[in-house]
Amino acid sequence: MTLQAPRLAVLASGTGTLLEAIIEAGLEVTVVVSDRECRALQVATRAGLRTKLLQRSFGADFDRDGYSVLLADLLARRGVDVVAMAGFGTVLSRPLFDSYAGRVLNTHPSLLPAFKGWHAVRDALQAGVAVTGATVHVATELVDEGPILAQEEVPVLAGDSEASLHERIKQVERRLYPRSIRVFLERLGDSDLHPRETPVQTIENPRSQGATR
Ligand code: GRF
């Protein structure tokens, strides 16, 4: 019996350079979902990919669980097996992670567990670390937590701004993330198990956390 290759969705809200790297690496993307109008959607459209804009009022009355259910349903309808977050701006909650347990991937611009959250690059600069980096991990409903698949260090240079440091980290992410996604998909594809039952394996050895300058 020929097993179908696992289907990948990308969630992105920003400039979409990671999405571009995923596409350029030759990974097949079933659908790109965004929570706002953004360059990432344009990148997807230009590449001929199916897109979905799932935009809501993200104010105080935002129904995070409802949004996560909608998203999980949408992905299931498209037959998606693995979800890669690539700069997605909305924190997702349990319904999504229950539906895709162990199959939501994320990349974060720090050496997790250091500097979780939206301002990871700024926080690393402010903390004065000599080395920060990028982390690819399996995402859970706890933001920036979950088994680490790959990490790579990026030195902080004298005179770095948040933008210059983030760009150098993203250069690493554009290489590390597509590679990690590919290995993850291949392991799912090779497995006789249902993706949901496939144990998470570390893909690359995490490096140690950066020392303080
Ligand atoms: C990356 O640094 C990613 O780690 C973070 O958002 C950034 C996305 O970059 N979560 P881009 O929008 O793909 O250029």
Side-chain angles (χ1 to χ4, degrees), residues 12-20 39-40 85-88 106-110 118 121 134-135 166-167 169-170 173-174:
S13 313
T15 55
T17 65
L18 296 184
L19 172 63
E20 280 174 313
R39 183 177 174 276
M85 297 199 282
F88 193 62
N106 186 40
T107 175
H108 182 77
S110 79
W118 294 115
V121 180
T135 302
H166 198 175
E167 179 51 31
I169 294 172
K170 288 211 279 186
E173 291 183 288
R174 288 179 203 125

Side-chain angles (χ1 to χ4, degrees), residues 16-162:
T17 65
L18 296 184
L19 172 63
E20 280 174 313
I22 289 168
I23 296 168
E24 277 162 23
L27 289 164
E28 229 175 277
V29 179
T30 297
V31 62
V32 175
V33 183
S34 188
D35 54 358
R36 67 199 72 188
E37 294 289 356
C38 59
R39 183 177 174 276
L41 279 181
Q42 296 164 11
V43 167
T45 305
R46 270 205 304 272
L49 301 177
R50 190 188 291 270
T51 60
K52 179 74 187 176
L53 176 60
L54 207 55
Q55 190 163 21
R56 292 291 177 274
S57 153
F58 293 104
D61 58 350
F62 174 55
D63 175 6
R64 201 171 300 283
D65 283 351
Y67 186 89
S68 299
V69 168
L70 268 181
L71 177 56
D73 287 352
L74 183 155
L75 297 172
R77 278 201 305 279
R78 300 271 174 243
V80 167
D81 299 299
V82 173
V83 183
M85 297 199 282
F88 193 62
T90 298
V91 173
L92 299 166
S93 62
R94 176 169 282 205
L96 189 274
F97 293 100
D98 279 352
S99 299
Y100 282 93
R103 290 182 289 139
V104 183
L105 306 181
N106 186 40
T107 175
H108 182 77
S110 79
L111 294 175
L112 289 174
F115 309 118
K116 296 174 184 171
W118 294 115
H119 302 296
V121 180
R122 187 192 305 172
D123 292 347
L125 266 180
Q126 278 173 2
V129 292
V131 177
T132 180
T135 302
V136 176
H137 66 105
V138 179
T140 70
E141 66 182 307
L142 301 173
V143 176
D144 300 329
E145 301 260 358
I148 290 174
L149 301 177
Q151 280 187 313
E152 191 169 316
E153 294 180 351
V154 174
V156 180
L157 303 181
D160 251 339
S161 64
E162 185 179 347

